[in-house]
Amino acid sequence: MTSTVACDPELRLPFPDAHLFDVASLLTADERQALRAVRSYMQDVVRPVIVDYWNREEFPFELLPGMAEVGLADVALQDRSWLYRGLVYSEVSRVDVSLGALVGIHNELIVGMVNQLGSEAQRQQWLPKLTRFEAVGSFGMTEPDHGSDIAGGLETTATPVEGGWVINGAKRWIGAGTFCDFLLAWAKDAADGSVKAFLIDSSTPGFSAAKIGHKIGLRVMQNADITLDNVLVSSDDMLPGVVGFDSANEMLRNSRVWVGWQAVGAQLGAFDVMRNYALNRQQFGRRLVKFQLIQQGLADLISNAHACLGIMMNIARLQETNQIEMVHAAMGKATGSRLLRESAAIARNALGGNGILSTYEAAKIFGDAEVIHTYEGTYEINSLIVSRAVTGHSAFV
């Protein structure tokens, strides 16, 4: 398996971590140390084994304690900069996009919402476990017939009964849905049509989850179809801070931001794979890296990654001053996913026949890039959000 530094010990790379502009120098000393710990764990412990899980469409539960130890379970609660937060998401996705998705969803949508919108009892019950990865929550918004239009098309219902609610509906593409401890489910109040959110224990009668298989990417993440059939929850299971979708706008926007950081990380991962392969592969009696077409590809790939990094750094700056808007998140996600597609194709192509084998990692990144292009708002939807912001006209019906 390859690593971020070329296998040949005689090679001395001027930019071994592929960060040409030394972005980490903008972090505090504490943040730099924490980021190094994340990178070391992901590269030294996770990377050597994760391809096998990707091939089998299985989740590596035994890695969660180590991920928690380096701070990946409570990123959203750490008193650190938004730039640090983004670079952490990037480093995780540099090794595996599925784990990057898990860490992003866990922090931005689960820990973040329980902490900000949950009751004191809900925070006491769940946060200690969540911040050690001793519990995992799933975010249940998308439905079989509603993805990008979920805000106006929510069909899952919550019917008030004495002491609680009866939930009926279905959710689709729910990350970690097959093994979550609870589902943070969004539903429409059957009485007045208002939108509410509930923490539904996955052991509750009427809750069922079926794994979605045969995916071309994000294969480590266990996405699920979830059915809620007359699921009875108590009044205490409702998130009191949720008053319609607007209550979650900030966290949903930040969720889109971490996907932009995923695109940065996946491109750096593709660069790692391509550079190491080119440095060590011999063709026609010389290193593959000596060929001009390969060097052109490497230049294009690392430039794409840093173009996306520049956008994401500016987004982090806006987050620090609370000036970020959805257009910024949409631009970061759309541009990142578009350039990631190009970058992943460059890396896959450079490996020739080996580029279609997931064990050489390029094909794995190639497949995962398709998922980033589609989830958390498709590329097209995010592009239209940007266009709406700069024209004042919406293309949405």
Side-chain angles (χ1 to χ4, degrees):
M1 200 63 64
T2 54
S3 65
T4 53
V5 179
C7 301
D8 189 337
E10 295 183 1
L11 293 172
R12 296 293 180 263
L13 301 177
F15 298 101
D17 70 352
H19 275 284
L20 274 65
F21 296 102
D22 193 19
V23 176
S25 65
L26 301 175
L27 304 176
T28 66
D30 171 70
E31 289 174 334
R32 289 196 297 273
Q33 182 177 359
L35 185 64
R36 282 194 295 270
V38 170
R39 178 180 296 168
S40 295
Y41 183 79
M42 294 303 301
Q43 292 290 339
D44 298 340
V45 179
V46 179
R47 191 173 180 186
V49 302
I50 199 64
V51 171
D52 289 335
Y53 287 95
W54 193 92
N55 285 336
R56 299 195 305 268
E57 290 190 285
E58 294 179 3
F59 188 85
F61 294 101
E62 69 277 12
L63 295 177
L64 288 177
M67 291 171 64
E69 188 174 341
V70 296
L72 294 177
D74 64 348
V75 177
L77 301 184
Q78 295 171 14
D79 186 20
R80 290 182 169 134
S81 67
W82 283 101
L83 179 59
Y84 168 80
R85 196 152 154 174
L87 289 172
V88 164
Y89 293 149
S90 172
E91 285 298 332
V92 178
S93 295
R94 187 173 186 168
V95 170
D96 184 67
V97 171
S98 289
L99 294 181
L102 178 81
V103 171
I105 294 169
H106 176 84
N107 281 282
E108 302 298 342
L109 297 180
I110 302 300
V111 171
M113 287 198 180
V114 171
N115 184 54
Q116 294 187 42
L117 304 177
S119 66
E120 182 59 31
Q122 289 167 343
R123 287 191 288 271
Q124 290 183 7
Q125 177 184 4
W126 289 112
L127 287 181
K129 295 178 181 179
L130 288 170
T131 53
R132 296 192 296 267
F133 274 137
E134 292 173 1
V136 173
S138 288
F139 189 74
M141 183 174 283
T142 301
E143 297 183 348
D145 295 324
H146 299 285
S148 297
D149 67 342
I150 189 64
L154 186 66
E155 293 185 7
T156 300
T157 61
T159 302
V161 296
E162 185 177 355
W165 302 80
V166 173
I167 315 296
N168 280 285
K171 300 295 181 180
R172 183 163 172 79
W173 295 113
I174 307 307
T178 61
F179 61 84
C180 65
D181 294 276
F182 66 84
L183 176 73
L184 199 166
W186 293 79
K188 184 177 293 185
D189 189 329
D192 62 16
S194 62
V195 173
K196 294 178 169 59
F198 301 86
L199 299 182
I200 303 177
D201 191 305
S202 59
S203 64
T204 305
F207 181 104
S208 61
K211 176 181 174 180
I212 299 173
H214 311 295
K215 299 180 297 181
I216 65 168
L218 211 71
R219 290 168 61 87
V220 174
M221 173 60 85
Q222 305 298 291
N223 293 95
D225 280 314
I226 291 180
T227 301
L228 304 169
D229 183 12
N230 288 318
V231 174
L232 177 63
V233 299
S234 75
S235 298
D236 294 335
D237 293 322
M238 186 177 72
L239 269 72
V242 172
V243 185
F245 281 118
D246 289 347
S247 305
N249 276 349
E250 177 185 350
M251 282 157 281
L252 290 171
R253 184 188 62 220
N254 290 339
S255 175
R256 195 155 296 185
V257 168
W258 66 253
V259 182
W261 282 107
Q262 277 196 302
V264 172
Q267 287 182 88
L268 292 174
F271 179 80
D272 293 337
V273 171
M274 180 176 172
R275 178 172 64 173
N276 293 344
Y277 188 86
L279 286 168
N280 292 282
R281 176 79 167 180
Q282 294 283 332
Q283 290 286 281
F284 301 103
R286 54 180 177 158
R287 293 183 190 273
L288 190 62
V289 75
K290 298 289 287 184
F291 291 88
Q292 291 182 1
L293 287 176
I294 296 297
Q295 293 219 359
Q296 179 69 63
L298 287 166
D300 289 345
L301 203 167
I302 199 63
S303 297
N304 282 351
H306 280 78
C308 297
L309 177 60
I311 293 176
M312 299 312 299
M313 289 173 63
N314 272 300
I315 289 176
R317 175 180 58 82
L318 293 174
Q319 287 175 305
E320 291 290 349
T321 55
N322 200 30
Q323 297 181 74
I324 184 173
E325 298 181 14
M326 184 57 82
V327 61
H328 304 119
M331 180 180 289
K333 197 276 180 180
T335 304
S337 61
R338 173 171 58 84
L339 292 181
L340 169 57
R341 255 186 168 181
E342 178 182 309
S343 296
I346 290 171
R348 193 213 59 75
N349 186 63
L351 270 64
N354 290 330
I356 65 173
L357 298 174
S358 62
T359 48
Y360 281 82
E361 297 183 273
K364 172 178 176 287
I365 299 169
F366 186 86
D368 286 340
E370 291 301 302
V371 179
I372 291 181
H373 198 261
T374 299
Y375 78 167
E376 283 295 325
T378 64
Y379 166 75
E380 291 79 10
I381 288 294
N382 280 289
S383 297
L384 292 178
I385 291 173
V386 174
S387 294
R388 181 179 62 188
V390 298
T391 66
H393 292 273
S394 176
F396 295 100
V397 177

